[in-house]
Amino acid sequence: MQLLHHQIAVVTGGSRDIGEQVSLQLAMAGAKVCINYLNDEQKAQETVAKIIHAGGQAIIAKGDMTVPADVAHVVHLCTEAFGNTIDILVNVTGGLIARKLLGDMDEEFWDAVMDVNVKSVFLVTKAVVPYMTNGGAIVNFSSQAARDGGGFGALAYASAKGAVLTMTKGLAKELGPKGIRVNCVSPGMINTSFHNTFTKDEVRKNVAAATPLRREGEASEVADLVLYLVSKSSSFITGASIEINGGTYFV
């Protein structure tokens, strides 16, 4: 029997990079996956096509996870397609937006970074939990930046990911009695479009060279960790943040 046979999963930001790999991994493990995306419908459709070609089940659901009405719409599409129980939530949605130092930031920028990284987790989790009637597993995405303050110009992002780390622990305490486990993963340097956009090649090479494993991580490796955290293999793990950074930072 597949690891996640008949389970229903919602993956926000689930159409590209780490989100895509998470969606694929969950589907291949037997879950029916609702893949949220915001802008790139073609990429979302391509991800679903890969899943269906491999014999899995998935739908796409457009929506801005910082907007309550959009969140409600995504949850509605998922339950309409797969039934009124949700077993798994993976909150991948987030981002740096831009690298800015304190003096260059205005309130609007600060709020935007907090919204996409923290408010999104709050809104989606609040909307999904009522459907986790048989217990469930939630995985949030923090970052190594939450531990070490982030790279140059990542103050707002690091602060937001620190909030996700703390929210994860609080949710684990609150939702544990309902049989819902809440954990987060904290990636370091992973080979994704995030770093293609925001990190200089020279910096990436230097980080990889200084990493004990002497390379960047891959999105599929992060997805492997997420699959473990939503499966019964991790049934007594909650409130944890698991670092996946090749050894560049130890808790």
Side-chain angles (χ1 to χ4, degrees):
M1 181 180 291
Q2 292 175 301
L3 195 63
L4 305 177
H5 187 56
H6 286 324
Q7 293 193 38
I8 312 304
V10 175
V11 182
T12 71
S15 66
R16 65 181 179 86
D17 293 329
I18 293 174
E20 177 189 27
Q21 289 300 313
V22 169
S23 297
L24 291 170
Q25 288 269 25
L26 298 188
M28 294 307 93
K32 301 173 184 178
V33 185
C34 181
I35 299 171
N36 160 250
Y37 75 99
L38 180 56
N39 295 314
D40 194 343
E41 181 175 353
Q42 180 178 344
K43 189 70 179 71
Q45 293 284 13
E46 289 172 359
T47 301
V48 168
K50 290 177 184 178
I51 290 172
I52 293 174
H53 180 73
Q57 296 184 61
I59 63 167
I60 61 171
K62 182 177 182 178
D64 183 339
M65 296 300 93
T66 70
V67 178
D70 282 20
V71 173
H73 178 63
V74 168
V75 173
H76 170 72
L77 290 177
C78 185
T79 55
E80 185 178 52
F82 298 132
N84 287 325
T85 299
I86 297 174
D87 305 286
I88 295 164
L89 169 62
V90 186
N91 286 304
V92 184
T93 293
L96 183 69
I97 298 181
R99 292 192 182 276
K100 291 192 178 186
L101 300 179
L102 178 63
D104 298 323
M105 280 189 272
D106 56 21
E107 186 177 354
E108 182 179 3
F109 175 80
W110 179 270
D111 288 347
V113 175
M114 290 297 160
D115 282 354
V116 74
N117 290 288
V118 185
K119 185 179 181 181
S120 65
V121 175
F122 162 69
L123 290 176
V124 179
T125 303
K126 183 177 174 64
V128 166
V129 163
Y131 294 92
M132 289 185 155
T133 52
N134 297 325
I138 299 171
V139 177
N140 298 324
F141 268 72
S142 183
S143 168
Q144 183 178 324
R147 302 290 193 178
D148 64 14
F152 194 73
L155 172 63
Y157 177 76
S159 300
K161 290 304 187 181
V164 172
L165 190 69
T166 301
M167 191 191 310
T168 297
K169 296 177 185 298
L171 285 170
K173 291 181 178 181
E174 180 175 333
L175 300 179
K178 298 179 180 180
I180 301 171
R181 298 183 299 108
V182 189
N183 294 291
C184 72
V185 296
S186 294
M189 184 73 75
I190 308 297
N191 180 22
T192 63
S193 60
F194 176 100
H195 289 295
N196 293 341
T197 302
F198 296 113
T199 308
K200 295 179 180 178
D201 287 343
E202 181 181 359
V203 173
R204 292 178 68 166
K205 291 176 182 178
N206 289 339
V207 170
T211 299
L213 294 182
R214 297 296 191 269
R215 65 176 177 86
E216 296 180 344
E218 297 296 332
S220 61
E221 293 174 306
V222 181
D224 287 339
L225 176 56
V226 172
L227 178 60
Y228 168 71
L229 288 173
V230 302
S231 74
K232 290 184 178 179
S233 298
S234 62
S235 58
F236 201 54
I237 299 177
T238 194
S241 170
I242 300 184
E243 316 302 311
I244 179 165
N245 57 44
T248 57
Y249 185 91
F250 301 112
V251 177

